[in-house]
Amino acid sequence: ECDVMLQSAKPHQVNESHSGVLKQAALDPSLLLYRNDQIIDVIEVQEDGRLSVLLTFVPPKQCFDADLTPCGTQVVYLVSSSLVFFDFRAIEITRTIDLHKPCFRSFQISRDAVFIALTTPSSNTITLCDFDYGTLQDIDGHTGTPTVCFFTYDCRNLYSVSTEGGTEIHKWSVKQLE
């Protein structure tokens, strides 16, 4: 993730710049997701380097985080206590995973689309969600609240970071968590 300024020819952005977060689909580098406090844009990078906004939408509730599935076919966004899967080509919600507890802050989808790791601002755990079945597993071990988590490129390990009371980085073997 990185902070960016994005200009677009979309009606809500004409002659305006918005600060937000830009992410890339793990297996399709031509697809980007841009999110700020109000909107989510799905953007395609053309062969000549130009950007084309494929879709702009406003999630129905406050969106805490959003990402593209690894192959770039769906936008996944986090609202309240649910992960919502939105097929941006068919313009429909295809699936919702109930996380059974509110207040998740961020999430990371593994490149192999096997797991989704989630952080919450009120606990010292990472929650691991099975991508296909939606089953949840809490991973304890931090002394502070984890603020970010990410899978390694080969999906063998999950890293989580807490900065409460000093920086704490944990490395988890995904195979041992299965």
Side-chain angles (χ1 to χ4, degrees):
E1 291 183 16
C2 60
D3 289 329
V4 298
M5 297 299 286
L6 178 71
Q7 291 192 348
S8 166
K10 300 304 286 181
H12 67 280
Q13 294 179 331
V14 173
N15 298 321
E16 293 182 37
S17 296
H18 294 280
S19 179
V21 175
L22 186 67
K23 296 182 178 182
Q24 184 177 45
L27 302 178
D28 186 351
S30 70
L31 288 175
L32 306 172
L33 177 134
Y34 168 74
R35 176 184 57 84
N36 71 16
D37 291 337
Q38 294 107 18
I39 57 132
I40 294 175
D41 281 331
V42 178
I43 302 164
E44 184 175 40
V45 180
Q46 305 294 323
E47 286 185 21
D48 63 4
R50 290 182 300 130
L51 301 179
S52 172
V53 178
L54 300 177
L55 174 76
T56 297
F57 73 99
V58 177
K61 299 177 185 175
Q62 183 182 3
C63 178
F64 297 103
D65 196 7
D67 205 349
L68 290 163
T69 54
C71 58
T73 58
Q74 297 184 68
V75 172
V76 181
Y77 57 93
L78 181 61
V79 290
S80 185
S81 61
S82 298
L83 279 171
V84 179
F85 291 72
F86 180 78
D87 184 324
F88 62 86
R89 298 194 193 278
I91 317 294
E92 66 181 2
I93 293 174
T94 58
R95 179 176 167 208
T96 301
I97 296 176
D98 181 4
L99 301 171
H100 306 291
K101 54 185 173 182
C103 298
F104 284 98
R105 175 195 329 235
S106 65
F107 68 93
Q108 173 75 41
I109 303 171
S110 63
R111 288 176 53 85
D112 58 3
V114 173
F115 291 111
I116 303 169
L118 300 113
T119 65
T120 179
S122 59
S123 111
N124 296 352
T125 63
I126 298 290
T127 299
L128 201 61
C129 176
D130 181 282
F131 189 88
D132 290 330
Y133 302 105
T135 54
L136 303 174
Q137 174 185 351
D138 285 337
I139 305 167
D140 296 316
H142 278 277
T143 54
T145 303
T147 54
V148 68
C149 56
F150 62 93
F151 291 94
T152 54
Y153 187 81
D154 61 7
C155 303
R156 291 182 184 173
N157 296 296
L158 170 67
Y159 284 90
S160 55
V161 179
S162 167
T163 56
E164 228 174 76
T167 301
E168 182 179 39
I169 300 172
H170 284 258
K171 177 182 175 184
W172 314 93
S173 170
V174 173
K175 196 170 213 77
Q176 292 177 346
L177 299 173
E178 292 182 34

